[in-house]
Coordinates of all heavy atoms in Angstrom, one line a residue:
R1 N -0.4 3.7 -0.1 CA -1.3 2.7 0.3 C -1.1 2.3 1.8 O -2.0 2.2 2.5 CB -1.2 1.5 -0.6 CG -2.1 0.4 -0.2 CD -2.0 -0.8 -1.2 NE -2.8 -1.9 -0.7 CZ -4.1 -2.1 -0.9 NH1 -4.7 -1.2 -1.6 NH2 -4.7 -3.1 -0.4
D2 N 0.2 2.1 2.1 CA 0.5 1.7 3.5 C 0.1 2.8 4.5 O -0.5 2.4 5.6 CB 2.0 1.4 3.7 CG 2.4 0.1 2.9 OD1 1.5 -0.7 2.6 OD2 3.6 0.0 2.6
E3 N 0.3 4.0 4.2 CA 0.0 5.1 5.1 C -1.6 5.2 5.2 O -2.1 5.4 6.3 CB 0.5 6.4 4.6 CG 0.3 7.6 5.5 CD 1.0 8.8 5.1 OE1 1.8 8.8 4.1 OE2 0.7 9.9 5.7
V4 N -2.3 5.1 4.2 CA -3.8 5.1 4.2 C -4.3 4.0 5.1 O -5.2 4.2 5.9 CB -4.4 5.1 2.8 CG1 -5.9 4.9 2.9 CG2 -4.0 6.3 2.0
I5 N -3.7 2.8 4.9 CA -4.2 1.6 5.7 C -3.9 1.9 7.1 O -4.8 1.6 8.0 CB -3.5 0.3 5.2 CG1 -4.1 0.0 3.8 CG2 -3.7 -0.8 6.1 CD1 -3.4 -1.1 3.1
K6 N -2.8 2.4 7.5 CA -2.4 2.7 8.9 C -3.5 3.7 9.5 O -3.9 3.5 10.6 CB -1.0 3.3 8.9 CG -0.6 3.6 10.3 CD 0.8 4.2 10.4 CE 1.1 4.7 11.8 NZ 2.4 5.4 11.9
I7 N -3.8 4.8 8.7 CA -4.7 5.8 9.2 C -6.1 5.1 9.4 O -6.8 5.3 10.4 CB -4.8 6.9 8.2 CG1 -3.5 7.7 8.2 CG2 -6.0 7.8 8.5 CD1 -3.4 8.8 7.1
V8 N -6.5 4.3 8.4 CA -7.8 3.6 8.5 C -7.9 2.7 9.7 O -8.8 2.7 10.5 CB -8.1 2.8 7.2 CG1 -9.3 1.9 7.4 CG2 -8.4 3.8 6.1
M9 N -6.8 2.0 10.0 CA -6.7 1.1 11.1 C -6.9 1.9 12.4 O -7.6 1.5 13.3 CB -5.4 0.4 11.2 CG -5.3 -0.7 10.1 SD -3.7 -1.5 10.0 CE -3.5 -2.1 11.6
E10 N -6.2 3.1 12.5 CA -6.2 3.9 13.7 C -7.6 4.6 13.9 O -8.2 4.5 15.0 CB -5.1 4.9 13.7 CG -3.7 4.3 13.8 CD -2.6 5.3 13.6 OE1 -2.9 6.5 13.3 OE2 -1.5 4.9 13.6
Q11 N -8.1 5.2 12.8 CA -9.3 6.0 13.0 C -10.5 5.2 13.0 O -11.5 5.6 13.6 CB -9.3 7.0 11.8 CG -8.2 8.1 11.8 CD -8.3 8.9 13.1 OE1 -9.3 9.4 13.4 NE2 -7.1 9.1 13.7
M12 N -10.5 4.1 12.4 CA -11.8 3.3 12.3 C -11.7 2.0 13.2 O -12.6 1.2 13.1 CB -12.1 2.9 10.8 CG -12.3 4.1 10.0 SD -12.6 3.5 8.3 CE -13.8 4.7 7.8
E13 N -10.6 1.9 13.9 CA -10.4 0.8 14.8 C -10.5 -0.5 14.1 O -11.3 -1.4 14.5 CB -11.3 0.9 16.0 CG -11.0 2.2 16.8 CD -12.0 2.3 18.0 OE1 -12.8 1.5 18.2 OE2 -11.8 3.4 18.7
M14 N -9.8 -0.7 13.0 CA -9.9 -1.9 12.1 C -8.6 -2.7 12.2 O -7.6 -2.1 12.5 CB -10.2 -1.6 10.7 CG -11.5 -1.0 10.3 SD -11.6 -0.8 8.5 CE -13.2 -0.3 8.4
K15 N -8.7 -4.0 11.9 CA -7.6 -4.8 11.8 C -7.0 -4.5 10.4 O -7.7 -4.1 9.5 CB -7.9 -6.3 11.9 CG -8.4 -6.6 13.3 CD -8.9 -8.1 13.3 CE -9.4 -8.4 14.7 NZ -9.9 -9.8 14.7
N16 N -5.7 -4.9 10.2 CA -5.0 -4.6 8.9 C -5.8 -5.2 7.8 O -6.0 -4.5 6.8 CB -3.6 -5.2 9.0 CG -2.8 -4.8 7.8 OD1 -3.0 -5.3 6.7 ND2 -1.9 -3.8 8.0
A17 N -6.1 -6.5 7.8 CA -6.8 -7.1 6.7 C -8.1 -6.4 6.3 O -8.4 -6.2 5.2 CB -7.1 -8.6 7.0
D18 N -8.9 -6.0 7.4 CA -10.1 -5.3 7.1 C -9.9 -3.9 6.5 O -10.6 -3.5 5.6 CB -10.9 -5.2 8.4 CG -11.4 -6.5 9.0 OD1 -11.6 -7.4 8.2 OD2 -11.6 -6.6 10.2
A19 N -8.9 -3.2 7.0 CA -8.5 -1.9 6.4 C -8.1 -2.1 4.9 O -8.5 -1.2 4.1 CB -7.4 -1.3 7.2
E20 N -7.3 -3.1 4.6 CA -6.9 -3.3 3.2 C -8.1 -3.6 2.3 O -8.3 -3.0 1.3 CB -5.9 -4.5 3.1 CG -4.6 -4.1 3.7 CD -3.6 -5.3 3.6 OE1 -4.0 -6.4 3.2 OE2 -2.4 -5.1 4.0
K21 N -9.0 -4.4 2.8 CA -10.2 -4.8 2.0 C -11.1 -3.5 1.9 O -11.7 -3.3 0.8 CB -11.0 -5.9 2.7 CG -10.4 -7.2 2.6 CD -11.2 -8.2 3.4 CE -10.5 -9.6 3.4 NZ -11.2 -10.6 4.3
S22 N -11.2 -2.7 2.9 CA -12.0 -1.5 2.8 C -11.4 -0.5 1.8 O -12.2 0.1 1.1 CB -12.1 -0.8 4.2 OG -12.8 -1.7 5.1
L23 N -10.1 -0.4 1.8 CA -9.4 0.5 0.9 C -9.7 0.0 -0.5 O -10.1 0.8 -1.4 CB -8.0 0.6 1.2 CG -7.2 1.5 0.2 CD1 -7.7 2.9 0.2 CD2 -5.7 1.4 0.5
D24 N -9.5 -1.2 -0.8 CA -9.8 -1.8 -2.1 C -11.2 -1.6 -2.5 O -11.5 -1.3 -3.7 CB -9.4 -3.3 -2.2 CG -7.9 -3.5 -2.0 OD1 -7.1 -2.6 -2.3 OD2 -7.5 -4.6 -1.6
F25 N -12.1 -1.7 -1.6 CA -13.5 -1.5 -1.8 C -13.9 0.0 -2.2 O -14.7 0.2 -3.1 CB -14.3 -1.9 -0.6 CG -15.8 -1.9 -0.8 CD1 -16.5 -2.8 -1.5 CD2 -16.5 -0.9 -0.1 CE1 -17.9 -2.7 -1.7 CE2 -17.9 -0.8 -0.2 CZ -18.6 -1.7 -1.0
V26 N -13.2 0.9 -1.5 CA -13.6 2.3 -1.6 C -12.8 3.0 -2.8 O -13.3 4.0 -3.3 CB -13.3 3.1 -0.3 CG1 -11.9 3.4 -0.1 CG2 -14.1 4.3 -0.3
L27 N -11.7 2.4 -3.3 CA -11.0 3.1 -4.3 C -11.8 3.5 -5.6 O -11.7 4.6 -6.1 CB -9.8 2.2 -4.8 CG -8.6 2.3 -3.8 CD1 -7.5 1.4 -4.3 CD2 -8.0 3.7 -3.7
P28 N -12.7 2.6 -6.0 CA -13.5 3.0 -7.2 C -14.4 4.2 -6.9 O -14.9 4.9 -7.8 CB -14.4 1.8 -7.4 CG -13.6 0.6 -6.9 CD -12.9 1.2 -5.6
A29 N -14.7 4.5 -5.6 CA -15.5 5.7 -5.3 C -14.8 7.0 -5.3 O -15.4 8.1 -5.2 CB -16.1 5.5 -3.9
L30 N -13.5 6.9 -5.5 CA -12.7 8.2 -5.5 C -12.7 8.7 -6.9 O -12.7 8.0 -7.9 CB -11.2 7.9 -5.1 CG -11.1 7.3 -3.7 CD1 -9.6 7.0 -3.4 CD2 -11.7 8.2 -2.7
A31 N -12.6 10.1 -7.0 CA -12.6 10.8 -8.3 C -11.3 10.6 -9.0 O -10.3 10.4 -8.4 CB -13.0 12.2 -8.1
D32 N -11.3 10.8 -10.3 CA -10.1 10.7 -11.1 C -9.3 11.9 -11.2 O -8.1 11.9 -11.6 CB -10.4 10.3 -12.5 CG -11.0 8.9 -12.6 OD1 -10.7 8.0 -11.7 OD2 -11.9 8.7 -13.5
H33 N -9.8 13.0 -10.7 CA -9.1 14.3 -10.9 C -8.5 14.9 -9.6 O -8.3 16.1 -9.5 CB -10.1 15.3 -11.5 CG -10.6 14.9 -12.8 ND1 -9.9 14.8 -14.0 CD2 -11.8 14.4 -13.2 CE1 -10.6 14.4 -14.9 NE2 -11.8 14.1 -14.5
G34 N -8.1 14.0 -8.7 CA -7.4 14.4 -7.5 C -8.3 15.0 -6.4 O -7.8 15.4 -5.4
K35 N -9.6 15.0 -6.6 CA -10.5 15.4 -5.6 C -11.3 14.2 -5.1 O -11.6 13.3 -5.9 CB -11.5 16.4 -6.1 CG -11.0 17.8 -6.2 CD -12.1 18.8 -6.4 CE -11.6 20.2 -6.1 NZ -12.7 21.2 -6.1
I36 N -11.6 14.2 -3.8 CA -12.3 13.1 -3.2 C -13.8 13.2 -3.6 O -14.4 14.3 -3.6 CB -12.1 13.1 -1.7 CG1 -10.7 12.9 -1.4 CG2 -13.0 12.2 -1.0 CD1 -10.3 13.0 0.1
N37 N -14.3 12.1 -4.0 CA -15.7 12.0 -4.3 C -16.5 11.8 -2.9 O -16.6 10.7 -2.4 CB -16.0 10.8 -5.2 CG -17.4 10.6 -5.5 OD1 -18.3 11.0 -4.9 ND2 -17.6 9.8 -6.6
I38 N -17.0 12.9 -2.4 CA -17.6 12.9 -1.1 C -18.8 11.9 -1.0 O -18.9 11.1 -0.1 CB -18.0 14.3 -0.6 CG1 -16.7 15.1 -0.4 CG2 -18.8 14.2 0.7 CD1 -16.9 16.5 -0.1
E39 N -19.6 11.9 -2.0 CA -20.8 11.0 -2.1 C -20.3 9.6 -2.1 O -20.9 8.7 -1.5 CB -21.7 11.3 -3.2 CG -22.4 12.7 -3.1 CD -23.2 12.8 -1.8 OE1 -23.9 11.8 -1.5 OE2 -23.1 13.8 -1.1
G40 N -19.2 9.3 -2.8 CA -18.7 8.0 -2.9 C -18.1 7.5 -1.6 O -18.3 6.4 -1.2
I41 N -17.5 8.5 -0.8 CA -17.0 8.1 0.5 C -18.1 7.8 1.5 O -18.1 6.9 2.2 CB -16.1 9.3 1.0 CG1 -14.8 9.5 0.2 CG2 -15.7 9.0 2.5 CD1 -13.9 8.3 0.1
K42 N -19.2 8.7 1.4 CA -20.3 8.4 2.2 C -20.9 7.0 2.0 O -21.3 6.3 2.9 CB -21.4 9.5 2.0 CG -21.1 10.8 2.6 CD -22.1 11.9 2.2 CE -21.8 13.2 2.7 NZ -22.8 14.2 2.3
W43 N -21.0 6.7 0.7 CA -21.5 5.4 0.3 C -20.7 4.3 0.8 O -21.1 3.3 1.4 CB -21.6 5.3 -1.2 CG -21.9 4.0 -1.7 CD1 -23.2 3.4 -1.9 CD2 -21.0 3.0 -2.2 NE1 -23.1 2.1 -2.4 CE2 -21.7 1.8 -2.6 CE3 -19.6 2.9 -2.3 CZ2 -21.1 0.7 -3.0 CZ3 -19.0 1.8 -2.8 CH2 -19.8 0.7 -3.1
A44 N -19.3 4.4 0.7 CA -18.4 3.4 1.2 C -18.5 3.2 2.7 O -18.5 2.1 3.2 CB -17.0 3.8 0.8
I45 N -18.7 4.3 3.5 CA -18.8 4.3 4.9 C -20.1 3.5 5.3 O -20.1 2.6 6.1 CB -18.8 5.7 5.5 CG1 -17.4 6.3 5.4 CG2 -19.3 5.6 7.0 CD1 -17.3 7.7 5.8
D46 N -21.2 3.8 4.5 CA -22.4 3.1 4.8 C -22.3 1.6 4.5 O -22.8 0.8 5.3 CB -23.5 3.7 3.9 CG -24.0 5.1 4.4 OD1 -23.7 5.5 5.5 OD2 -24.6 5.8 3.6
M47 N -21.6 1.3 3.5 CA -21.4 -0.2 3.2 C -20.6 -0.9 4.2 O -20.9 -2.0 4.6 CB -20.7 -0.3 1.8 CG -21.5 0.1 0.6 SD -23.0 -0.8 0.4 CE -24.2 0.3 0.9
V48 N -19.5 -0.2 4.8 CA -18.7 -0.8 5.8 C -19.5 -0.9 7.1 O -19.4 -1.9 7.8 CB -17.4 0.1 6.0 CG1 -16.6 -0.4 7.2 CG2 -16.6 0.1 4.8
K49 N -20.4 0.1 7.4 CA -21.3 0.0 8.5 C -22.2 -1.3 8.4 O -22.4 -2.0 9.3 CB -22.1 1.2 8.7 CG -21.4 2.4 9.3 CD -22.4 3.6 9.4 CE -21.8 4.8 9.8 NZ -22.7 5.9 9.8
E50 N -22.8 -1.4 7.2 CA -23.7 -2.5 7.0 C -23.0 -3.8 7.1 O -23.6 -4.8 7.5 CB -24.4 -2.4 5.6 CG -25.4 -1.3 5.5 CD -26.1 -1.3 4.1 OE1 -26.1 -2.3 3.4 OE2 -26.6 -0.2 3.8
A51 N -21.8 -3.9 6.7 CA -21.0 -5.1 6.8 C -20.6 -5.4 8.3 O -20.1 -6.5 8.6 CB -19.8 -5.0 5.9
G52 N -20.8 -4.5 9.2 CA -20.5 -4.7 10.6 C -19.0 -4.5 10.9 O -18.6 -4.8 12.0
V53 N -18.3 -3.9 10.0 CA -16.8 -3.7 10.2 C -16.6 -2.4 11.0 O -15.7 -2.4 11.8 CB -16.1 -3.7 8.9 CG1 -14.6 -3.4 9.1 CG2 -16.2 -5.0 8.1
L54 N -17.4 -1.4 10.7 CA -17.2 -0.1 11.4 C -18.0 -0.1 12.7 O -19.2 -0.4 12.7 CB -17.8 1.0 10.5 CG -17.6 2.4 10.9 CD1 -16.1 2.8 11.1 CD2 -18.2 3.4 9.9
K55 N -17.3 0.2 13.8 CA -17.8 0.1 15.1 C -18.3 1.5 15.7 O -18.9 1.5 16.7 CB -16.8 -0.5 16.1 CG -16.3 -1.8 15.6 CD -17.2 -3.0 16.0 CE -16.5 -4.3 15.8 NZ -16.9 -5.0 14.6
K56 N -17.8 2.6 15.0 CA -18.2 3.9 15.5 C -18.6 4.8 14.4 O -18.3 4.5 13.2 CB -17.1 4.5 16.4 CG -15.8 4.8 15.6 CD -14.7 5.3 16.5 CE -13.5 5.7 15.7 NZ -12.5 6.3 16.5
E57 N -19.2 5.9 14.7 CA -19.5 6.9 13.7 C -18.3 7.6 13.2 O -17.3 7.8 14.0 CB -20.5 7.9 14.3 CG -21.9 7.4 14.6 CD -22.6 6.9 13.3 OE1 -22.6 7.6 12.3 OE2 -23.2 5.8 13.3
I58 N -18.4 8.1 12.0 CA -17.2 8.8 11.4 C -17.7 10.2 11.0 O -18.7 10.3 10.3 CB -16.7 8.1 10.1 CG1 -16.2 6.8 10.6 CG2 -15.7 8.9 9.4 CD1 -15.4 6.0 9.6
N59 N -17.0 11.2 11.4 CA -17.3 12.6 11.0 C -16.5 12.9 9.8 O -15.3 12.9 9.8 CB -16.9 13.5 12.2 CG -17.2 14.9 11.9 OD1 -17.3 15.4 10.8 ND2 -17.4 15.7 13.0
L60 N -17.2 13.2 8.7 CA -16.5 13.4 7.4 C -15.6 14.7 7.5 O -14.5 14.7 6.9 CB -17.5 13.6 6.3 CG -18.1 12.4 5.7 CD1 -19.1 12.7 4.6 CD2 -17.1 11.4 5.2
D61 N -15.9 15.6 8.4 CA -15.1 16.8 8.5 C -13.7 16.4 9.1 O -12.7 17.1 8.8 CB -15.7 17.8 9.4 CG -17.0 18.4 8.8 OD1 -17.0 18.5 7.6 OD2 -17.9 18.9 9.6
K62 N -13.6 15.4 9.9 CA -12.4 14.9 10.4 C -11.6 14.0 9.4 O -10.4 13.9 9.5 CB -12.6 14.2 11.7 CG -13.0 15.1 12.9 CD -13.1 14.3 14.2 CE -13.5 15.2 15.3 NZ -13.5 14.5 16.6
L63 N -12.4 13.4 8.5 CA -11.8 12.5 7.6 C -11.2 13.2 6.3 O -10.2 12.8 5.8 CB -12.8 11.5 7.2 CG -12.4 10.3 6.4 CD1 -11.4 9.4 7.1 CD2 -13.6 9.4 6.0
L64 N -11.9 14.2 5.9 CA -11.6 14.9 4.7 C -11.0 16.3 4.9 O -11.5 17.0 5.8 CB -12.8 15.0 3.8 CG -13.6 13.7 3.5 CD1 -14.9 14.1 2.7 CD2 -12.7 12.8 2.7
D65 N -10.0 16.7 4.1 CA -9.4 18.0 4.3 C -9.1 18.5 2.9 O -8.2 18.0 2.2 CB -8.1 17.9 5.1 CG -7.5 19.2 5.3 OD1 -8.0 20.3 4.8 OD2 -6.5 19.3 6.1
E66 N -9.9 19.4 2.4 CA -9.8 20.0 1.1 C -9.0 21.2 1.0 O -8.9 21.8 -0.1 CB -11.2 20.3 0.5 CG -12.1 19.0 0.4 CD -13.5 19.3 -0.1 OE1 -13.9 20.4 -0.1 OE2 -14.1 18.3 -0.6
R67 N -8.3 21.6 2.0 CA -7.5 22.8 2.0 C -6.3 22.8 1.0 O -5.8 23.8 0.6 CB -6.9 23.1 3.4 CG -7.9 23.4 4.5 CD -7.2 23.6 5.8 NE -6.7 22.3 6.2 CZ -5.8 22.2 7.2 NH1 -5.3 23.2 7.8 NH2 -5.4 20.9 7.5
F68 N -5.9 21.6 0.7 CA -4.7 21.5 -0.2 C -5.0 21.3 -1.7 O -4.1 21.0 -2.4 CB -3.8 20.3 0.4 CG -3.4 20.6 1.8 CD1 -4.1 19.9 2.8 CD2 -2.5 21.5 2.1 CE1 -3.7 20.1 4.1 CE2 -2.1 21.8 3.4 CZ -2.7 21.1 4.4
Y69 N -6.3 21.3 -2.0 CA -6.6 21.2 -3.4 C -6.0 22.4 -4.2 O -6.1 23.6 -3.7 CB -8.1 21.2 -3.7 CG -8.8 19.9 -3.3 CD1 -10.2 19.9 -3.0 CD2 -8.1 18.7 -3.2 CE1 -10.8 18.7 -2.7 CE2 -8.8 17.5 -2.9 CZ -10.1 17.5 -2.7 OH -10.8 16.4 -2.4
A70 N -5.6 22.2 -5.4 CA -5.1 23.3 -6.2 C -6.3 24.2 -6.6 O -7.4 23.7 -6.8 CB -4.4 22.8 -7.5
K71 N -6.1 25.5 -6.7 CA -7.2 26.4 -7.0 C -7.0 27.0 -8.3 O -6.0 27.1 -8.9 CB -7.2 27.5 -5.9 CG -7.6 26.9 -4.6 CD -7.8 27.9 -3.5 CE -8.1 27.2 -2.2 NZ -8.5 27.8 -1.2

């Protein structure tokens, strides 16, 4: 959790409290089987943008890395 919050703060230029709230908000959008729910992440980013917390565009290719999924 702490590492994710640190990354969110750096990559999204957020304050700690905003990053924590964002993480709590987005957790339900994540899949249960160890894979990221890309549509859920897109939805969460849109919600953060609408809330005015996100100040810049986010490239999902830089945010998500599926190379380490078990095959």
Side-chain angles (χ1 to χ4, degrees):
R1 178 176 173 87
D2 291 339
E3 186 175 349
V4 170
I5 289 170
K6 180 181 175 185
I7 291 169
V8 169
M9 288 172 58
E10 291 171 2
Q11 294 298 312
M12 299 180 145
E13 299 176 1
M14 288 184 176
K15 295 177 184 176
N16 187 285
D18 293 332
E20 288 179 358
K21 288 177 186 175
S22 296
L23 177 61
D24 291 340
F25 182 73
V26 81
L27 281 176
L30 300 178
D32 294 330
H33 301 289
K35 280 194 164 186
I36 294 174
N37 178 341
I38 294 174
E39 291 305 313
I41 296 297
K42 288 177 185 176
W43 172 83
I45 290 170
D46 289 342
M47 293 297 106
V48 174
K49 281 181 187 176
E50 285 182 26
V53 177
L54 185 60
K55 306 276 191 255
K56 65 179 183 178
E57 289 298 315
I58 296 193
N59 183 335
L60 283 179
D61 293 334
K62 290 185 177 183
L63 188 64
L64 306 174
D65 185 352
E66 298 180 339
R67 292 178 295 165
F68 302 103
Y69 285 160
K71 296 184 181 190

